[in-house]
Every structure is written in structure tokens, then in C-alpha cells.
Amino acid sequence: GIQVEQSPPDLILQEGANSTLRCNFSDSVNNLQWFHQNPWGQLINLFYIPSGTKQNGRLSATTVATERYSLLYISSSQTTDSGVYFCAVERNNQGGKLIFGQGTELSVKP
Amino acid sequence: EPEVTQTPSHQVTQMGQEVILRCVPISNHLYFYWYRQILGQKVEFLVSFYNNEISEKSEIFDDQFSVERPDGSNFTLKIRSTKLEDSAMYFCASSEWGRYTFGSGTRLTVV
């Protein structure tokens, strides 16, 4: 099956700093999503980004499908950005299973 | 923004008991899912459901598990005889055009 690897596993930032989270996947996919799991355990969908670049406020994401990786950029980080960021991929984009990476745990200090 | 609703938010059950976790997916979505997350681990796929039948299931989803869409809005996960290792956060999700929305989860503790 498809392997999804995220790096770094942990990241500590000072408020206001920028960061880049990486997701590598082992095979071609038709669906890639980034999620934020907040300290209460909720999974929030940040981006649906099988290819290309998207931006939403201080967050942006880029997926280079041909090279099998995706990047999530967080600019001017805030303490509310803390939590675990998951990348998840799907082979077929037809209601099949999402395969999650192990996540990057981000802690933003005031 | 439409939400996926899960109840209860927490459930504690004795080993061997049956539990039913409930979900109301987003109304115009056609695909429904259950995932679970053991504490500190990644999110794992359990089952997907489309057109009133299971479309895919993982090796975790054995005979102890079942899913049902008893009416036009609810989607349930039943665990027949819970084990200690079933303790986890269970997430329901629905999707449209490849974009997934997850519920807030049910934290199941088996004692």
C-alpha cells in the first residue's frame, strides 16, 4: 500500500515564526489533503490539494504530484496553530480510503 | 459551514459490551466513513460506505464491527463485544468531490 511520511515529527516555534511541513508519498495519488488536529482532538480540513498551490490566509500548500510530495507553509505562526498536522492521500479519489501520515506535532510558544 | 455531527462525544463501556457510535453526515454527501485513532497514533481507516453498502473495509474492520444507515440521515458504527484495544477516538467523515469533512469524534474507553 501507499506509504505516507511526514517531517519533521515535532516542531517548536516562537510566535511569529514561519515553518514548512513536508509530506512524501510512495505512489501516485489523485487526492491529497492536509488536516489540523487541534488540542481537543478535532480534525479540521485545511486543504484539498492533489496538485498545484493554494493559499488560505497565513497557510498555503503546494503539491508536486510528479515528485510525490506536498508542503504546508505556516507564516507568522500563532499559539492557536499548535496541534498535529496530518497529510492524507487517496489513490482513486472515488470514495476510497484516506491514508494518513504520522503527523507533525507543532507547538507555538508565546 | 455544514458539519458532520457525532454522538456521544465520550463513552465508557465495560469489556464485552456492545456499543453504537452515531453520526449524522453532511446531507448532500454520498460517501461515508469511519476512522479511528488510538491515543498518540495516526488516524486509521476502518470502512467506507456508499449507496447503502460497504465499498471498502480495512483488516481492522472484522466481524465485531458493523455499519448501518438506518434512515436518511444517521450513520452508525456498532462494536459487538468490545475489547480493551478498541479504546480509541472514532471519527465519522463524509466526502463530496474528494473533499472530506470529519466529525469531532467519539472517545471510546473500554474498561
Side-chain angles (χ1 to χ4, degrees):
Chain A
I2 297 175
Q3 305 297 313
V4 181
E5 293 183 3
Q6 291 186 241
S7 58
D10 304 282
L11 188 57
I12 299 174
L13 296 177
Q14 213 51 43
E15 199 168 27
N18 304 326
S19 63
T20 301
L21 281 56
R22 187 176 179 102
C23 171
N24 292 331
F25 42 97
S26 61
D27 206 343
S28 58
V29 298
N30 288 317
N31 188 349
L32 186 145
Q33 308 201 20
W34 282 96
F35 294 90
H36 175 217
Q37 187 167 38
N38 64 25
W40 297 271
Q42 293 176 306
L43 278 169
I44 309 299
N45 193 314
L46 299 176
F47 293 103
Y48 165 62
I49 186 164
S51 63
T53 297
K54 289 187 178 179
Q55 179 151 10
N56 185 2
R58 296 181 296 102
L59 302 181
S60 64
T62 295
T63 297
V64 184
T66 53
E67 297 186 23
R68 299 180 186 167
Y69 73 89
S70 183
L71 302 174
L72 178 69
Y73 305 97
I74 304 173
S75 65
S76 304
S77 57
Q78 300 176 358
T79 55
T80 52
D81 295 332
S82 296
V84 183
Y85 289 80
F86 288 104
C87 166
V89 303
E90 181 188 2
R91 195 74 185 267
N92 298 320
N93 201 22
Q94 291 178 356
K97 61 184 180 185
L98 279 178
I99 300 167
F100 281 74
Q102 292 279 12
T104 291
E105 184 163 7
L106 175 65
S107 180
V108 181
K109 305 294 187 186
Chain B
E1 187 163 332
E3 291 183 344
V4 174
T5 305
Q6 289 188 243
T7 54
S9 55
H10 294 86
Q11 178 142 7
V12 180
T13 188
Q14 294 252 331
M15 192 168 55
Q17 295 295 305
E18 174 184 286
V19 295
I20 297 177
L21 310 183
R22 303 182 191 279
C23 170
V24 179
I26 294 174
S27 60
N28 60 339
H29 285 186
L30 299 179
Y31 295 92
F32 315 123
Y33 313 85
W34 285 100
Y35 287 77
R36 80 171 186 189
Q37 184 182 32
I38 294 171
L39 188 64
Q41 298 187 21
K42 66 180 179 181
V43 180
E44 300 175 289
F45 169 78
L46 290 178
V47 65
S48 58
F49 194 85
Y50 171 72
N51 202 23
N52 285 321
E53 60 183 26
I54 291 173
S55 52
E56 189 172 356
K57 60 183 181 179
S58 73
E59 59 275 9
I60 303 168
F61 193 88
D62 61 21
D63 292 344
Q64 295 294 326
F65 292 88
S66 63
V67 289
E68 195 176 41
R69 188 156 164 81
D71 53 43
S73 58
N74 290 287
F75 180 52
T76 62
L77 174 70
K78 182 193 288 187
I79 309 174
R80 286 190 185 78
S81 179
T82 49
K83 308 183 193 70
L84 294 176
E85 54 264 37
D86 293 327
S87 296
M89 180 79 95
Y90 288 81
F91 291 102
C92 174
S94 64
S95 71
E96 180 188 41
W97 303 113
R99 187 180 173 100
Y100 285 66
T101 301
F102 279 74
S104 297
T106 294
R107 183 168 297 284
L108 176 66
T109 303
V110 183
V111 297

